[in-house]
Amino acid sequence: MLNLLAKIFTWWNGATIGTLFTIAKRGELVGSDEFGNRYYQSRDTSSYDGRKRRWVIYDGYAEATKVAPDWHGWLRYTFDEPPSEGGMARRSWELPHLPNLTGTPMAWRPQGSLAAEGRRPAATGDYQAWTPEG
């Protein structure tokens, strides 16, 4: 019951009932990525420029940075073939894609941050506190 209510009222956590209906009526699954996101394309050329519409259904919370660069290129019509059919060649120096981790426990916290573990380093003596005149 709770899952049904979430599907009806939450657009930010997966697909809503209306989106699932649209997918069933007009969409075809093209592929998925390592984050569990599913990519779709319309069966017809319904957009104003004569191209098939493309979209993503996020696995969990809807966060645009969860889309990998190769799928992003396909969604924006940079690539004609989806990565599930051809894929982009990875360079040896490229790191794997990570979504934006800000606000999560895995976010980067530099030394001295109040959110970082441990203690802040002591002042080095090059800082002089401001005091008001008078």
Side-chain angles (χ1 to χ4, degrees), residues 7 12-13 33 38 43 46 49 64 71 75 107 117 121 127 129:
K7 289 284 185 197
W12 59 87
N13 194 15
D33 64 12
R38 296 180 319 273
R43 292 187 183 103
S46 60
D49 58 358
W71 280 107
L75 284 170
E117 294 180 5
Y127 173 76

Side-chain angles (χ1 to χ4, degrees), residues 28-32 38-42 54 71 74 81-85:
E28 61 182 346
L29 180 66
V30 175
S32 61
R38 296 180 319 273
Y39 298 89
Y40 293 89
Q41 181 170 267
S42 63
R54 299 172 177 177
W71 280 107
W74 179 79
E81 296 296 321
S84 58
E85 292 180 13

Side-chain angles (χ1 to χ4, degrees), residues 29-116:
L29 180 66
V30 175
S32 61
D33 64 12
E34 63 270 15
F35 300 113
N37 301 324
R38 296 180 319 273
Y39 298 89
Y40 293 89
Q41 181 170 267
S42 63
R43 292 187 183 103
D44 58 350
T45 55
S46 60
S47 64
Y48 66 92
D49 58 358
R51 297 188 292 190
K52 293 184 176 187
R53 184 169 180 249
R54 299 172 177 177
W55 68 93
V56 59
I57 301 298
Y58 298 100
D59 181 32
Y61 191 75
E63 169 61 45
T65 63
K66 288 170 52 175
V67 175
D70 46 357
W71 280 107
H72 177 79
W74 179 79
L75 284 170
R76 302 291 175 247
Y77 301 97
T78 304
F79 311 125
D80 290 330
E81 296 296 321
S84 58
E85 292 180 13
M88 285 179 34
R90 300 270 185 216
R91 307 269 193 235
S92 61
W93 45 265
E94 287 183 305
L95 295 174
H97 176 72
L98 289 176
N100 183 357
L101 301 174
T102 302
T104 69
M106 296 181 60
W108 182 67
R109 293 175 173 85
Q111 184 180 7
S113 168
L114 296 176

